[in-house]
Amino acid sequence: QVQLVESGGGLVQAGDSLRLSCAASGRTFSRDTMGWFRQAPGKEREFVAAITSSGISTWYGDSLKGRFTISRDNAKNTVYLQMNSLKPEDTAVFYCAARPPGSSWSEGYWGQGTQVTVSS
């Protein structure tokens, strides 16, 4: 059974940091592009960050680079999202996703999400 399990979310104050983790199991993810998305209440899901299979290339959603950093450990089948200087507008459910080669994000694998709440 393929699973992506996010952890590390919680309630923090503005300016704090959080590190999200996504543990993948059930198949080999080392060839997949891995990503993070988020969905705030009443809003559409938006792209946060992604990292290629080798970890060499990363890209980020608008205005997030500089505060958020994505990384991965293929030996542990885990991808991370370090979030610094958090703002109340970062409040959302954060989802981990795996995109196999030749697939779209919607065709890939998704976790159940972890809630991040930033208070002002």
Side-chain angles (χ1 to χ4, degrees):
Q1 181 183 1
V2 176
Q3 279 191 312
L4 297 177
V5 180
E6 302 96 336
S7 62
L11 172 63
V12 297
Q13 293 186 332
D16 286 351
S17 298
L18 275 178
R19 188 195 195 204
L20 304 183
S21 299
C22 172
S25 62
R27 62 183 287 277
T28 299
F29 288 84
S30 60
R31 295 181 61 203
D32 295 358
T33 296
M34 302 295 292
W36 288 94
F37 293 74
R38 67 184 181 183
Q39 187 165 18
K43 296 186 177 181
E44 293 186 353
R45 189 172 297 187
E46 68 168 336
F47 171 76
V48 173
I51 185 168
T52 54
S53 57
S54 65
I56 292 177
S57 297
T58 58
W59 58 105
Y60 298 87
D62 292 343
S63 77
L64 296 178
K65 188 175 183 179
R67 291 196 300 125
F68 290 11
T69 303
I70 188 171
S71 61
R72 68 190 292 166
D73 185 339
N74 285 339
K76 296 182 179 180
N77 256 5
T78 301
V79 62
Y80 305 95
L81 184 69
Q82 177 67 42
M83 304 186 293
N84 298 328
S85 302
L86 284 162
K87 305 175 181 180
E89 51 264 43
D90 293 318
T91 294
V93 177
F94 282 71
Y95 298 91
C96 174
R99 190 183 75 189
S103 301
S104 65
W105 288 112
S106 62
E107 295 169 333
Y109 303 92
W110 290 79
Q112 293 300 306
T114 185
Q115 177 71 47
V116 172
T117 303
V118 184
S119 64
S120 57

